Amino acid sequence: PYPYFVELREKAPLFWLKSLEAHVVSRYEDVTYVLKNPALFSSVDIRVKGQLAKDRSPLDGSVANLVNSDPPVHTRLRGLVSRAFIPKRISEMEPRVLELSKGFVAEMTAHEEFDFMDGLASPLPVTVISEMLGIEVSRRRDFKRWSDSLIHSGAQTLRDGKPSEEVVRNAHEMRDYMAEIAEKRRREPTGDLISLLVQGGEGAEPLTPQEVNSFAIILLIAGNETTTNLLGNSLLALIRNPEQYDWLRRNPTREACARVSEETLRYDSPVMGLLRRTTQDVELSGGKVPAGSSVMALLASANHDPRKFSNPERFDPERETNGLMSFGHGIHFCLGAPLTRLEAPVALKELMERAPRLGLASRQPERIDYGGSFFLRGPRSLWLR
Ligand code: HEM
């Protein structure tokens, strides 16, 4: 699906992209090198189109979070929150993820035509995260509103350069609520994610309320739109590749659904690229990049590099996808990968059981407009019948 990336990889593996003010690397080997070396390619003070990313964000940019930090700050934060994402904790969520998927799929497929994004791909991840965090039932609607607002702020800030007043207002409401709930859970822990974070223990210090809020927002941004886009991209890939859709229909097991989800991650990566900042002059892909430059590692292109994946333009759920770059690489490797690897196959399997023969409705799918940028990719709406 990426004809330009073929050209980049072959003709300009280190490419100065003026509109982003960044050096772009597109080969598998170079993308890995950038992400494996945080001392040379830092996550602190990233610039988007020359402007500090933290100035464009509705978050308080002065609070360190997982995504915008390097070691040793990153190491400390990651140690604190990774306890919440251990495989046992994630697998315990399976019955609830299944129950939610069943509900959304049943409701959605009761209509002849439906928007898959609205019916399943968006509500499932946000519900899972709000339950995981322990957002009170009475505030779930607010949480969904804050979440939608934050999620759309990504596309909006890329387009307009800054978040709207409404996005900032929602971010502040969420911050106040998270501070309130962090304090409640500190006094009376309930076993939810926030309790775990504010309690510390096992040698770990507790997170401050500000850090809890910042982490909750990261989960919303990092965990929702990405999973939503993955589900949307999976359905699109199946519908556009009838042979593979047939293969899944003949054998709609959890294992086969997981293969579809992994191959979609590779084939149509929800996160297309990651930015870093060089801490010194570096040699990269045979060229020179000065200190303080923005470097974009094109995950989506690495996933299509024939040096790593043979016949990369073919959507093939039966292929080996080891080493796919869609969750990043190295110290920032996606913390939510095990959750996604639970959620996407469970949802897909439920859909295959209820509605194994879906096709596009008369309305054509629309991609989200991320301001012409290629950070993220997914359908805005996907009407099926
Ligand atoms: C980090 C992709 C789902 C939480 C990342 C990174 C990528 C990524 C590429 C690396 C960022 C970087 O190196 O700067 C995805 C994709 C997903 C997904 C494609 C689904 C299809 C989730 C979910 C959660 C989550 C469900 C949580 C519930 C995080 C967190 C980080 C992260 C906390 C930061 C880790 C760190 O910096 O140490 N994700 N993600 N992600 N992701 Fe995910």
Side-chain angles (χ1 to χ4, degrees):
Y2 316 125
Y4 291 116
F5 295 171
V6 177
E7 271 199 80
L8 273 182
R9 278 192 309 269
E10 296 320 314
K11 298 186 184 152
L14 178 68
F15 181 73
W16 170 248
L17 181 61
K18 193 160 179 282
S19 61
L20 188 64
E21 298 182 33
H23 302 265
V24 176
V25 287
S26 46
R27 289 187 180 170
Y28 190 87
E29 193 188 350
D30 297 326
V31 168
T32 316
Y33 177 69
V34 167
L35 299 180
K36 243 186 14 201
N37 285 290
L40 295 180
F41 303 96
S42 165
S43 291
V44 177
D45 288 346
I46 297 301
R47 285 174 185 274
V48 183
K49 297 181 186 169
Q51 196 189 349
L52 277 172
K54 62 187 180 192
D55 292 346
R56 308 164 69 104
S57 156
L59 294 175
D60 178 354
S62 63
V63 180
N65 64 45
L66 271 178
V67 174
N68 71 12
S69 61
D70 288 341
V73 175
H74 175 265
T75 321
R76 169 184 162 259
L77 289 174
R78 179 110 182 175
L80 289 177
V81 300
S82 56
R83 290 174 298 154
F85 287 86
I86 52 174
K88 181 169 169 289
R89 237 184 126 87
I90 300 301
S91 60
E92 281 168 4
M93 293 166 65
E94 178 158 350
R96 181 60 182 149
V97 171
L98 179 61
E99 187 183 351
L100 286 169
S101 303
K102 276 190 187 304
F104 289 128
V105 168
E107 196 172 315
M108 174 177 82
T109 55
H111 306 270
E112 173 102 2
E113 289 197 0
F114 51 84
D115 179 4
F116 175 75
M117 303 313 288
D118 227 32
L120 179 67
S122 311
L124 179 64
V126 69
T127 312
V128 170
I129 295 209
S130 66
E131 293 190 0
M132 190 177 181
L133 281 168
I135 303 300
E136 293 146 313
V137 176
S138 62
R139 300 304 293 271
R140 293 265 166 88
R141 286 177 83 93
D142 291 326
F143 189 75
K144 175 84 173 83
R145 176 167 51 85
W146 301 329
S147 160
D148 285 347
S149 156
L150 271 172
I151 286 168
H152 293 137
S153 80
Q156 189 188 51
T157 26
L158 283 169
R159 231 180 15 245
D160 308 337
K162 62 176 180 21
S164 70
E165 277 173 29
E166 196 193 335
V167 167
V168 173
R169 197 169 50 245
N170 280 319
H172 288 171
E173 256 182 63
M174 174 164 169
R175 178 194 60 197
D176 295 343
Y177 173 69
M178 296 310 292
E180 188 187 308
I181 193 166
E183 182 50 30
K184 262 194 210 162
R185 297 289 185 267
R186 198 180 57 73
R187 279 187 272 116
E188 248 180 85
T190 60
D192 60 19
L193 181 54
I194 296 179
S195 305
L196 190 77
L197 299 179
V198 294
Q199 288 299 307
E202 292 167 34
E205 359 137 29
L207 258 64
T208 66
Q210 262 178 329
E211 286 171 336
V212 168
N213 179 49
S214 185
F215 183 59
I217 293 181
I218 294 291
L219 286 188
L220 283 182
I221 297 179
N224 280 343
E225 186 157 13
T226 47
T227 311
T228 296
N229 289 356
L230 169 62
L231 287 167
N233 292 350
S234 303
L235 255 287
L236 264 180
L238 286 171
I239 289 170
R240 288 178 174 158
N241 293 275
E243 207 184 297
Q244 283 72 10
Y245 200 2
D246 267 344
W247 169 83
L248 183 63
R249 227 176 260 129
R250 283 195 304 275
N251 184 29
T253 60
R254 170 75 177 272
E255 158 71 16
C257 291
R259 283 183 169 274
V260 166
S261 157
E262 292 298 299
E263 173 64 345
T264 305
L265 282 165
R266 185 199 69 80
Y267 179 76
D268 199 358
S269 182
V271 180
M272 301 186 80
L274 295 173
L275 278 169
R276 295 294 191 258
R277 181 181 49 81
T278 51
T279 55
Q280 59 188 72
D281 294 355
V282 289
E283 195 151 314
L284 186 57
S285 203
K288 288 201 185 332
V289 177
S293 309
S294 288
V295 170
M296 168 162 271
L298 264 185
L299 309 178
S301 170
N303 285 338
H304 282 249
D305 190 336
R307 295 163 192 82
K308 174 73 185 170
F309 297 102
S310 59
N311 206 353
E313 305 306 323
R314 181 176 150 80
F315 176 71
D316 176 11
E318 288 182 278
R319 79 160 69 232
E320 180 54 69
T321 49
N322 256 345
L324 59 81
M325 273 294 149
S326 317
F327 289 121
H329 185 72
I331 61 166
H332 290 279
F333 182 84
C334 178
L335 198 58
L339 179 57
T340 304
R341 286 175 162 151
L342 168 72
E343 236 173 287
V346 165
L348 196 54
K349 180 159 184 291
E350 189 52 34
L351 191 67
M352 289 306 292
E353 280 170 13
R354 275 264 179 176
R357 250 166 236 286
L358 293 168
L360 293 182
S362 39
R363 280 171 261 199
Q364 281 304 301
E366 234 185 298
R367 289 234 175 243
I368 303 176
D369 172 13
Y370 290 105
S373 97
F374 43 71
F375 286 105
L376 302 172
R377 184 169 148 111
R380 176 191 301 287
S381 64
L382 181 54
W383 281 88
L384 302 178
R385 52 179 301 133

